[in-house]
Amino acid sequence: MTTYRSRASVEADAAHQVLAAHVPDRETGVCPICLVAGPCQPANVAANRLVELGLPVLPPVVPHTGRGRLLAYVGPVLRVAPLLTVGWRRRLGLVDGDGGR
């Protein structure tokens, strides 16, 4: 089955990937790909494209979701995933039969 994606959606994904790759180093401020002081030209172009599309440049800040949840950053999306309980970890064979004690 073919899934249709709009051109804007494809361009937004590409821009988010460029921004994720061209993050300046915290200590030196140098882009690890372009080896210039950041923000580099590809990151500026990607950010400008997202603004033209009317999309946020930075990923949204998600408030704390409470106990038993894990925030996982997957690509340009921040997803909420439930934590595995000891019972499920035991069932999946990730811990010993006594709960890891």
Side-chain angles (χ1 to χ4, degrees):
M1 176 196 298
T2 303
T3 303
Y4 173 77
R5 291 183 60 197
S6 68
R7 183 176 180 168
S9 172
V10 172
E11 289 180 6
D13 286 347
H16 280 293
Q17 289 176 1
V18 168
L19 286 174
H22 291 264
V23 176
D25 183 52
R26 288 181 183 253
E27 293 180 13
T28 62
V30 174
C31 173
I33 308 258
C34 301
L35 300 176
V36 298
C40 61
Q41 185 65 24
N44 282 334
V45 170
N48 286 335
R49 184 61 188 141
L50 288 171
V51 170
E52 289 172 2
L53 294 172
L55 298 172
V57 176
L58 298 175
V61 176
V62 178
H64 181 66
T65 58
R67 188 174 175 189
R69 300 259 175 195
L70 173 68
L71 296 178
Y73 187 72
V74 181
V77 180
L78 191 63
R79 296 187 181 163
V80 177
L83 292 174
L84 291 177
T85 61
V86 174
W88 272 105
R89 284 188 270 164
R90 186 181 310 128
R91 179 182 256 178
L92 295 173
L94 300 174
V95 295
D96 297 332
D98 62 351
R101 294 180 229 188

